[in-house]
Amino acid sequence: MEKLQVGILASGRGSNFEAILKNIQQKKLDAAIQVVISNKASACALEVARENNIPAVHISKKQFPEQELFDEQLLLVLKNYNVNFVVLAGYLKMLSPIVVKNFKNRILNIHPALLPSFGGQGMYGQNVHQAVLDYGCKVSGVTVHLVDEEYDTGSPVLQRCVPVLEGDAAEDLARRVLKVEHQIFTEALQLFARGRIEIDGRRVKIRP
Ligand code: GRF
């Protein structure tokens, strides 16, 4: 079984990346982070990578306005750092079909709600939690899913519920959900690392 050599793509704060890194350091996850890539030069995720001596690369639309060149560059960097598994940890750009094809069933995203509810374009950050509260939901949760060519439509790998409590504001729910994100992203990655994932159509089966 080939070791998971992860490329992290992140646009912002990078707390999921940090949680994954910590779990690798504490030997709870059998993987290596080869590179962190961001479309935002100022992303905290890039700073955290540098502090931990992990290559940090900025690839933006400004540098590569043509989608084809952007994709080429992204694939080149992933290849140069020997990445065999891609993790979207708060990456706000949609991946092109060519990138998805190159890492078929080897790209995971995390979404701070129970998909297919409260997903899709524009559903990120506080928008998600506000929408859950506005709907009056009693539970929300986290979905770790495979990435396909659309927003948030790939098969779920793991999902976990998080209760909505009376009086929750979006920030309260976000905080509770984020704690669970930090646990289950690693759990999902460890399933891949251990070769316990079998993909059967839309179903992601977990071998014992
Ligand atoms: C998380 O809430 C994740 O579910 C979503 O983007 C956010 C990223 O947070 N995809 P962070 O940058 O990992 O702190």
Side-chain angles (χ1 to χ4, degrees), residues 10-18 45 88-92 109-113 124-125 129 142-143 174 177-178 181-182:
S11 301
R13 168 179 67 174
S15 73
N16 275 287
F17 153 51
E18 273 192 89
L88 308 188
Y91 187 65
L92 294 177
N109 181 44
I110 190 156
H111 186 75
Y124 62 88
H129 305 293
V142 180
T143 304
V177 166
L178 192 64
E181 291 187 42
H182 292 167

Side-chain angles (χ1 to χ4, degrees), residues 116-201:
S117 291
F118 306 109
Q121 196 164 13
M123 274 297 181
Y124 62 88
Q126 297 297 79
N127 297 350
V128 178
H129 305 293
Q130 195 56 56
V132 168
L133 293 176
D134 291 347
Y135 197 87
C137 289
K138 302 294 183 186
V139 288
S140 187
V142 180
T143 304
V144 177
H145 64 93
L146 292 170
V147 171
D148 61 14
E149 292 83 356
E150 309 282 333
Y151 277 114
D152 300 330
T153 57
S155 298
V157 175
L158 286 180
Q159 293 190 293
R160 198 148 296 159
C161 292
V162 174
V164 174
L165 302 183
E166 295 298 332
D168 263 353
E171 310 84 73
D172 303 315
L173 183 57
R175 213 173 302 121
R176 202 173 307 119
V177 166
L178 192 64
K179 266 197 195 154
V180 176
E181 291 187 42
H182 292 167
Q183 296 160 7
I184 79 164
F185 220 164
T186 291
E187 284 176 37
L189 285 164
Q190 185 66 346
L191 291 172
F192 281 88
R194 288 278 150 87
R196 290 182 55 198
I197 294 290
E198 188 183 315
I199 293 160
D200 178 12

Side-chain angles (χ1 to χ4, degrees), residues 5-157:
Q5 303 189 147
V6 175
I8 301 265
L9 269 57
S11 301
R13 168 179 67 174
S15 73
N16 275 287
F17 153 51
E18 273 192 89
I20 291 167
L21 180 61
K22 193 177 105 216
N23 287 327
I24 291 175
Q25 287 163 347
Q26 294 179 353
K27 310 249 182 278
K28 290 182 193 154
L29 171 59
D30 205 4
I33 298 178
Q34 305 292 105
V35 62
V36 175
I37 300 172
S38 184
N39 56 321
K40 295 246 155 62
S42 60
C44 276
L46 290 179
E47 240 169 79
V48 174
R50 287 187 204 105
E51 281 163 14
N52 286 278
N53 298 317
I54 297 169
V57 181
H58 172 223
I59 308 176
S60 74
K61 266 294 210 186
K62 225 176 187 178
Q63 302 161 320
F64 302 98
E66 264 181 62
Q67 189 61 43
E68 216 178 304
L69 297 182
F70 180 95
D71 295 337
E72 240 172 54
Q73 183 64 14
L74 183 58
L75 286 170
L76 187 70
V77 171
L78 292 170
K79 187 165 173 269
N80 284 347
Y81 286 100
N82 296 315
V83 168
N84 62 19
F85 203 97
V86 175
V87 166
L88 308 188
Y91 187 65
L92 294 177
K93 278 181 64 65
M94 185 144 91
L95 296 182
S96 292
I98 179 123
V99 178
V100 176
K101 210 166 139 210
N102 263 268
F103 289 89
K104 192 165 167 39
N105 294 334
R106 305 279 291 173
I107 310 177
L108 289 186
N109 181 44
I110 190 156
H111 186 75
L114 294 173
L115 292 173
S117 291
F118 306 109
Q121 196 164 13
M123 274 297 181
Y124 62 88
Q126 297 297 79
N127 297 350
V128 178
H129 305 293
Q130 195 56 56
V132 168
L133 293 176
D134 291 347
Y135 197 87
C137 289
K138 302 294 183 186
V139 288
S140 187
V142 180
T143 304
V144 177
H145 64 93
L146 292 170
V147 171
D148 61 14
E149 292 83 356
E150 309 282 333
Y151 277 114
D152 300 330
T153 57
S155 298
V157 175

